[in-house]
Amino acid sequence: MAAINILNPKAEFARAAQALSINISAARGISEVMKSNLGPKGTMKMLVSGAGDIKVTKDGNVLLHEMQIQHPTASLIAKASTAHDDIVGDGTTSIVLLIGEIMKQADGLIGEGVHPRVITDGLEIAREEAMKVLDLMATPADCTDREVLINLARTSLRTKVHRKLADLLADICVDAVQCIYENGKPLDLHMIEMMEMQHRNELQSTLVKGLVMDHGGRHPDMPKSLTNCYILTCNVSLEFEKTEVNSGFFYSTAEAREKLLASEREFIEQRVRKIIALKKEVCPAGSDKNFVVINQKGIDPLSLDLLSKEGILGLRRAKRRNMERLSLACGGTAMNSVDDLTPECLGYAGSVYEHVIGEDKFTFVEECRNPKSVTMLLKGPTKHSMAQMKDAVRDGLRSLFNVCQDGVLVPGAGAYELALSKSLENLQVQSRSVLGVKLFARAILIIPKVLVTNAGHDAHDVILKSMQCNGQGDTVVGLDLDTGDTLLPSAAGIFDNYSVKKQIIDASIVVASNLLLCDEIMRAGLSSLKG
Amino acid sequence: MALHVPKAPGFASMLKDGSRHFSGMEESVYRNIKACKEFAESLKSAYGPCGMNKMVINHLEKLFVTNDAATIMQELDVEHPAAKIMVMASQMQEQEVGDGTNFVIIFCAALLEAAGDLLQMGLTPSEIVGGYEMALDKALEILPTLVFDEIKDYRNEAEVLKVVRSAVMSKQLGNEDNLAKLITKACVSILPENTAFNVDNVRVCKILGSGLGNSEVVHGLVFKRNVESTIIKKNKAKIAVFSCPIDIAQTETKGTVLIKSAKELKNFSAGEETLLENQIKDIVDAGVNVVVSGGKIGDMAMHFLNKYDIMAVRLLSKFDLRRVCKATNSSVYPKLEKPSVEDLGYADDVYVDEVGDTAIVVFRVGTNESRISTIVLRGATDNYLDDLERAVNDGVNAFKAVTRDQKLLPGAGAVELELARQISSYGDTLPGLEQYSVKKYASALESFIKVFSDNSGMKASEVLAKLYALHHEGKTTYGFNIEDGSDGTVDVKDIGIVDIYLGKQWAIQYATNAASTILQVDQIIMAKRAGGPKARPVKGNDADDD
């Protein structure tokens, strides 16, 4: 009978050894589930939501978000790793695996009577060593070097999607980043828009150096394709709006009503006429220049009609964030009133055209002069394949973002984990904490082990082989998953982010230590009421 | 929901109540394969010209009698996740090409079934997927070499006819010649000069009664409704199209008539009348004799329209309104004003007709000027008409595919068999484990001949052997013959059954991708079904719902 039961007879609890075993089994359980997803050779998971929607993914972050975990310990681990994903954008599965493995190794030691505190102390020492090794292995990277960026993006993407697709997306990601990157300024990934288009297959995804909007001109007579266009972005209502106050017209003859009707329109028509006047100014009759109006507010049918008579393409109800991107992509400024229109506030795009797929219309604004905002056009045959791509691209972009921030890279393909394990084994520690250090040295090997197992090779064989190689000189050796042999990550172009690795070690040690040091789980609530 | 202190170990206890979790080969991979196989089994019998019809009752209790796979799938509302992936691949095929949906399902299921055998042999899913992808690459490489014919001019009705005929044949055996002629006529006549062909420009109007033989093609539009005016026929019609109601115009702001004496009231009414009369007179002066409106036509306006001998048609949908514009080459006016001459449309005849007991409004445009044509289908029952419409859609889509790519492949299973033959010999040249899956890929392609023969009651293995023998001799255009009394083989060149290159190419890709996706899944996690009222009281017995 625990003390808490006296205070609250309805409380649920688990104490000491029981609490620990719950934590350990949860951590191991969740890592068992995620195991098969790690690395380029990992398999997929299919998630079916309550509404019957399908998601096929091997992105740890997506999985943890969608799985609806109820177990307190498991959900703690899940939250820690997804939070980590929010910061650096990758490495979710690794954290879960590492926590699971630390707990598994600790289970054995605790069974032999080692106090959890000794283990956690050892983990702290191991962490410091890990950071030293990481700094040693980091190689400076030039984030304007295309080759480096492509290698990095490829490493990240190949763990998420099919190889061919990964290579294509890596190119797209790097192109996009290079387009918007300005030296000395932090990268703003929001300036890369992702547009999904259910069409053809994944390999037809492209980068549009401009903007793609998911709506089209609303008037059947408006031009569908224009070249050499001036672009006016504005936030001006071109439709009749009722007054705020209660108002009414009084008339006694039909003529008077007609007059009122005309003057009612006059207000809006004046605005439209100002736009048309500007159009006439910049595109004199006979020139090959064209004019496009993209409005954040509405344009009513009558105004559309006026615009279409002038051959102007008018888009209404553009998204707010697109307005911002438009002025970055095409130049010009977004106007809030039509009173001070000047040719200077116009943007320019070489080509504007409408593309119709089934019921959906897309408007492409392309061939901009110096685009500072670009759009990734993700195509895929099904919703789930597009979602998968979107998640992957997000990770790819984040990895590029990270390298621009860090300025350094770490060799991938399990090289860091192998080297760290080795250096921890050799570390001289003069206290009982050595147990914890050794524990971590074994636990960190889970990453390369799982990578190898998923590729269908024998984990121990490969690990042993690479350990031997690592001993000779100070070359950095990683794993070749295709052959089950060793390789040089730098030669194969496999790189990881410095900050991701750092976070993985940090987060997993903190969470694992917390779980190990926990000796009671209780829930003192009104459990009799509901659920 | 609040967390609980867990009791039972294991992963299942970590998830929310009611969610299901399947993992490992036995629970997920084999289970998926089985479900897809069973789903395809039920669609198989609907494939090809000898395919049987299915009676499907959807959740709204609407009855469908069809052998069109796309419709069956849509109405069945498949729930099993793996089968759903297959259905999605097939729907994509429907969007991309508009035909070949059943091909995707059958092929995908055949691939999965073959994968099941391979798994039992001890291959891993990723090795199988690798092999399938190699085979797919090879298939896409071989496919262009199998092209045996090309449509030189898709404006030539006779040439296009054979493509449309093959497409329609699998849906409406026996009626294919009739229907194909109608479809080709409708399509070729409206082919735009330089822009792409739009499927939407071939309309279908279904009228109950009579028989298919009485169906016809109208250059222009046919609507199943009556006109508003008393005038019901106009020759050489000048058409003005308004999207607004034809009535006294209203202000957006609330209007109040301010009247102080009886005289003013009288003047106001008179003023309104003259105003409206003037407006309508303006329209008449522009030479208009038919008015089409998207809004309602007021009583007074109607009076004046009748007075000036103008036919008035009211259309409820703005898309119909746009179609009228397109067909007659006019533009829409958003408000009632005098139309300029260049904005007016022209049609040879606009008239009301009664077919059976249905009143229709016909806009008949000169033979070669219309951008829209309508196929008026006649048939005895609604279900039959619906099925005819689906056949027409397939035919029109086949035509569209031809306008994009003119290459033709031999039909009747010939191309599948030749692919199977070549891929299988390609498999022999491979050194690694992939060869098994590449060979299985080839045998999956054979399944089409098997389905053909099963559906037409012949012996699959005999026909297959004969066809292989012929193909080995280099007669790669020999395909399956559905006619009675033959030995099951026929040179498709002679009977003119062709497949569209584009359709096959996408179908093979989508099917292989779907199969790979399903194979790569090693775990399924299903959340509890969301609440809400059950949409369907009668549960269709989905074979895959275990």
Side-chain angles (χ1 to χ4, degrees), chain B residues 30-31 60 92 120 201 220 228 258 300 346 421 504 511 513 515:
Chain B
Y30 285 117
R31 197 168 164 274
L60 300 170
M92 203 52 216
Q120 243 139 28
N201 290 347
E228 310 287 311
L258 201 64
M300 211 202 301
Y346 176 79
R421 195 179 69 85
K504 275 281 166 311
N513 284 347

Side-chain angles (χ1 to χ4, degrees), chain A residues 45 52 70 249 257 523, chain B residues 3 14 84 256 272 523:
Chain A
K45 279 194 178 28
Q70 283 270 289
F249 283 148
R257 193 197 51 220
R523 177 176 187 274
Chain B
L3 303 173
M14 292 181 202
K84 212 167 168 182
T256 314
E272 284 221 305
Q523 287 189 11

Side-chain angles (χ1 to χ4, degrees), chain B residues 162-270:
Chain B
K162 59 185 175 194
V163 179
V164 177
R165 187 170 158 268
S166 307
V168 175
M169 201 177 205
S170 63
K171 300 281 146 41
Q172 289 289 332
L173 188 67
N175 296 331
E176 74 265 17
D177 287 322
N178 251 337
L179 268 178
K181 263 180 214 146
L182 288 175
I183 298 167
T184 356
K185 200 172 150 200
C187 293
V188 172
S189 66
I190 58 157
L191 203 60
E193 294 301 322
N194 39 24
T195 50
F197 174 78
N198 189 349
V199 182
D200 203 39
N201 290 347
V202 177
R203 311 297 308 163
V204 173
C205 183
K206 298 172 282 185
I207 300 172
L208 212 56
S210 191
L212 180 63
N214 289 13
S215 306
E216 54 167 349
V217 175
V218 173
H219 295 285
L221 283 161
V222 176
F223 297 106
K224 270 208 273 189
R225 52 184 302 120
N226 216 329
V227 290
E228 310 287 311
S229 57
T230 51
I231 297 107
I232 57 167
K233 188 170 170 66
K234 279 284 165 200
N235 290 336
K236 303 215 179 321
K238 280 265 168 78
I239 304 167
V241 185
F242 296 98
S243 58
C244 60
I246 300 186
D247 203 355
I248 299 153
Q250 293 296 326
T251 49
E252 297 258 4
T253 314
K254 200 175 130 203
T256 314
V257 187
L258 201 64
I259 285 162
K260 295 188 190 91
S261 66
K263 200 174 161 223
E264 270 184 32
L265 177 65
K266 213 172 145 195
N267 284 343
F268 181 74
S269 302

Side-chain angles (χ1 to χ4, degrees), chain A residues 157-170:
Chain A
L157 284 164
R158 277 196 183 164
T159 64
K160 305 286 187 290
V161 288
H162 191 277
R163 210 185 172 98
K164 258 193 249 168
L165 181 58
D167 292 357
L168 174 79
L169 289 181

Side-chain angles (χ1 to χ4, degrees), chain B residues 107 137 152 187 190 215 269 333 339 362 373 391 408 446 448 454:
Chain B
F107 188 40
D137 289 343
K152 279 156 209 94
C187 293
I190 58 157
S215 306
S269 302
Y333 273 88
V362 182
S373 62
L408 297 180
E446 278 171 15
F448 290 97
D454 284 349

Side-chain angles (χ1 to χ4, degrees), chain A residues 12-14 18 22 25-30 32-34 36-37 41-54 56 63 66-75 79 162 164 198-202 204 218-221 240 242-243 247-255 257-258 260-261 264-265 269 300-302 305 309 357 361 380-384 388 454 521-523 527 530-531, chain B residues 1-11 13-17 19 21 32 79-85 88-89 92 95-96 124-126 129 133 137 243 248-260 264-265 267-268 271-275 279 318 322 325 330-335 337 340 343 404 502 506 509-510 513 517-531:
Chain A
E12 296 173 32
F13 64 92
Q18 198 194 354
I22 285 174
S25 78
R28 287 180 60 177
I30 193 167
E32 278 304 316
V33 173
M34 307 280 289
S36 57
N37 299 103
K41 302 269 177 177
T43 48
M44 306 270 200
K45 279 194 178 28
M46 182 187 274
L47 295 159
V48 184
S49 78
D53 289 333
I54 295 179
V56 178
L63 274 172
E66 304 276 324
M67 272 200 306
Q68 297 190 318
I69 296 168
Q70 283 270 289
H71 191 291
T73 315
S75 94
K79 275 180 193 150
H162 191 277
K164 258 193 249 168
Q198 195 167 349
H199 188 49
R200 303 257 160 118
N201 64 13
E202 291 92 338
Q204 313 225 326
R218 292 305 300 263
H219 195 279
D221 291 345
F240 183 78
K242 286 225 158 76
T243 48
S247 60
F249 283 148
F250 292 94
Y251 44 79
S252 51
T253 60
E255 285 79 25
R257 193 197 51 220
E258 286 299 302
L260 287 170
L261 193 64
E264 194 180 61
R265 287 294 317 162
E269 265 175 34
D300 64 10
L302 293 165
D305 197 54
K309 284 225 166 69
I357 298 170
K361 280 181 179 178
T382 50
K383 235 189 203 162
H384 61 83
Q388 195 184 344
N454 283 348
I521 305 173
M522 54 182 144
R523 177 176 187 274
S527 59
K530 243 187 190 177
Chain B
M1 226 201 270
L3 303 173
H4 278 270
V5 175
K7 293 286 181 291
F11 180 68
S13 69
M14 292 181 202
L15 297 173
K16 207 167 167 179
D17 276 349
S19 34
H21 172 236
N32 283 343
E79 228 174 76
H80 190 283
K84 212 167 168 182
I85 286 191
M88 282 195 265
M92 203 52 216
Q95 269 185 35
E96 189 65 43
T124 62
S126 57
V129 170
E133 270 161 14
D137 289 343
S243 58
I248 299 153
Q250 293 296 326
T251 49
E252 297 258 4
T253 314
K254 200 175 130 203
T256 314
V257 187
L258 201 64
I259 285 162
K260 295 188 190 91
E264 270 184 32
L265 177 65
N267 284 343
F268 181 74
E272 284 221 305
E273 274 173 41
T274 39
L275 191 78
Q279 277 175 335
K318 76 172 178 194
R322 281 187 196 164
C325 286
S330 48
S331 36
V332 186
Y333 273 88
K335 63 182 179 194
E337 59 189 336
S340 61
D343 286 337
R404 283 195 290 171
L502 217 57
W506 283 116
Q509 281 185 46
Y510 284 135
N513 284 347
T517 313
I518 295 172
L519 281 176
Q520 275 172 331
V521 170
D522 79 327
Q523 287 189 11
I524 309 176
I525 298 167
M526 293 172 83
K528 192 181 179 180
R529 290 290 295 174

Side-chain angles (χ1 to χ4, degrees), chain A residues 55 118 309 442 456 473 525:
Chain A
K55 229 172 195 183
V118 177
K309 284 225 166 69
R442 287 193 300 278

